[in-house]
Amino acid sequence: MQAQPTKSNKNNLMFADSLLNAERAVMALTAQGILVSNINLCQPGKPTIQVEYTPALARFINDKIAVYYAFGHKQYGKYKQAQYPLHGCRVVWIEYTH
């Protein structure tokens, strides 16, 4: 008889799955020439991968794969934040306009 997974075991499994998904996403982003700047695993079911903005990311917006979800103004000027799903992860970036 196999023991039922405990809550901590379930969390461990979620983190392990998240790491595998993040690895797949990073490999896909690397193949596309997109630079990863940060990976956040605070939500184990859906890692957030931050990438450096390049104009090539506009195609994800144009193809309706990514969406803008936040707008604002910081010391660098106006900005837009975008996101799209990839291999169970959330890929995000910030675009600054002057």
Side-chain angles (χ1 to χ4, degrees):
M1 182 175 213
Q2 191 173 17
Q4 293 293 329
T6 64
K7 181 177 174 44
S8 62
N9 285 344
K10 287 180 184 178
N11 284 345
N12 289 353
L13 291 173
M14 285 180 65
F15 274 112
D17 286 344
S18 292
L19 288 169
L20 291 172
N21 288 341
E23 179 184 25
R24 285 187 212 110
V26 168
M27 297 305 288
L29 293 165
T30 300
Q32 297 173 50
I34 298 172
L35 180 64
V36 173
S37 60
N38 190 22
I39 299 175
N40 184 323
L41 295 173
C42 287
Q43 287 185 272
K46 189 124 180 151
T48 298
I49 301 173
Q50 186 167 0
V51 299
E52 295 294 322
Y53 174 73
T54 66
L57 290 169
R59 71 183 159 94
F60 293 110
I61 296 291
N62 294 337
D63 293 345
K64 297 188 180 359
I65 296 168
V67 296
Y68 292 114
Y69 69 94
F71 303 85
H73 189 274
K74 288 188 176 179
Q75 63 197 33
Y76 306 114
K78 292 182 180 180
Y79 70 88
K80 301 185 277 189
Q81 289 180 277
Q83 66 180 3
Y84 74 98
L86 180 64
H87 295 292
C89 298
R90 179 176 168 248
V91 177
V92 300
W93 68 86
I94 299 174
E95 298 176 33
Y96 287 100
T97 57
H98 302 284

